Amino acid sequence: MSWLELLNNLETGAVRAATQDENGQWHANVEVKQGILEAFKNGTNMEFPGGFVDKHNLAPQCFEATAGVRMVPGGSSVRRGAHVAKGTIIMPPAYVNIGAFIDEGTMVDSHALVGSCAQVGKNVHLSAAVQLGGVLEPIGASPVVIEDDAFIGAGCVIVEGVVVKKGAVLAPGVRLSATIPVYDCVNERQLDKGEAIPEYAIVIPGSRPASNDWARTQGLSMSCALIVKYRDEQSDASLLLEEVLR
């Protein structure tokens, strides 16, 4: 497949930068990421209207009303090679990078970033200033994945291939990476390194004592995340405002 065919197929959703196996595990699609890098190599810088410069073959997408995507005026951009499904709402300013996949009915709020190859499911809410890290290299590295019906609170940062499973809720300010520990206070365990945030978990920012003796004597602490409960009827009711906004 040529890089041009690949970009077209990424935009239609025919191919994706990551896929889920029968056990629910996500894996990077190495051939897709190689094709994206090939597109960069074959592009030359050119000037675009509005005073910006980028590769000539990676211009921002323009949506027609028939696509069913609502991109509100004010500085948002969806780069070439990203898939944005019907029913998505993008509030300004927001940015969706190459290789990203956004499924139906998702809200991308102001100042949100959907990084390169990040995968976002159906009916997800990415609140204001959410940052989903992108990854093109190394090509075998899995991207950030947010599964269906998740709610990501304002200012959350999710990077380094973290997976947030279906229906999970992240409170504002949660930071997740490969090195930030997550403690499940309900089941009294620490998630394994690289383990996904479980389905329907409610996660809040937390802290833990610093491991260094000197740091502890100074009262210093390090970031972590805490699963404090799992979604129930009461927590679901608090999210019904979503439907009004759509």
Side-chain angles (χ1 to χ4, degrees):
M1 183 189 306
S2 70
W3 59 262
L4 179 58
E5 291 174 310
L6 174 65
L7 294 178
N8 291 335
N9 286 335
L10 282 168
E11 290 180 8
T12 63
V15 298
R16 296 176 64 167
T19 54
Q20 192 174 28
D21 64 27
E22 58 186 12
N23 297 317
Q25 300 298 311
W26 288 87
H27 306 278
N29 189 330
V30 173
E31 291 183 354
V32 167
K33 295 176 76 176
Q34 286 175 327
I36 292 173
L37 293 173
E38 191 66 23
F40 276 100
K41 291 177 183 177
N42 282 273
T44 56
N45 284 347
M46 67 169 287
E47 298 175 6
F48 289 91
F52 64 92
V53 176
D54 198 3
K55 300 290 187 178
H56 79 282
N57 53 353
L58 299 178
Q61 296 182 48
C62 295
F63 296 97
E64 297 181 353
T66 54
V69 174
R70 180 153 65 96
M71 189 157 76
V72 180
S76 296
S77 183
V78 177
R79 203 177 196 184
R80 182 88 159 92
H83 173 74
V84 180
K86 182 179 179 180
T88 298
I89 300 171
I90 301 175
M91 300 299 292
Y95 187 69
V96 181
N97 208 347
I98 189 170
F101 182 98
I102 300 177
D103 217 331
E104 295 180 357
T106 285
M107 164 74 82
V108 181
D109 214 333
S110 299
H111 297 281
L113 166 68
V114 182
S116 54
C117 299
Q119 306 289 295
V120 181
K122 291 181 173 67
N123 303 315
V124 170
H125 186 116
L126 303 179
S127 301
V130 165
Q131 306 289 291
L132 304 185
V135 57
L136 282 175
E137 295 180 288
I139 59 173
S142 295
V144 169
V145 177
I146 311 296
E147 293 190 358
D148 296 352
D149 303 313
F151 187 98
I152 312 300
C156 287
V157 177
I158 306 170
V159 296
E160 297 178 345
V162 169
V163 175
V164 177
K165 301 294 283 184
K166 179 179 179 180
V169 176
L170 272 56
V174 169
R175 276 148 172 73
L176 298 175
S177 74
T179 57
I180 294 177
V182 180
Y183 297 93
D184 188 337
C185 301
V186 178
N187 296 303
E188 299 182 354
R189 60 179 290 262
Q190 180 179 348
L191 270 59
D192 294 333
K193 186 175 181 179
E195 184 176 349
I197 300 298
E199 291 186 3
Y200 303 110
I202 296 180
V203 187
I204 67 169
S207 63
R208 59 193 174 105
S211 55
N212 178 276
D213 288 339
W214 179 86
R216 283 200 299 269
T217 64
Q218 304 303 309
L220 303 179
S221 60
M222 301 172 65
S223 176
C224 69
L226 307 176
I227 298 173
V228 292
K229 64 180 294 186
Y230 286 81
R231 283 173 65 173
D232 53 23
E233 291 182 2
Q234 182 176 359
S235 56
D236 284 344
S238 68
L239 300 176
L240 288 180
L241 181 61
E242 262 321 273
E243 298 304 318
V244 176
L245 295 176
R246 294 177 191 279

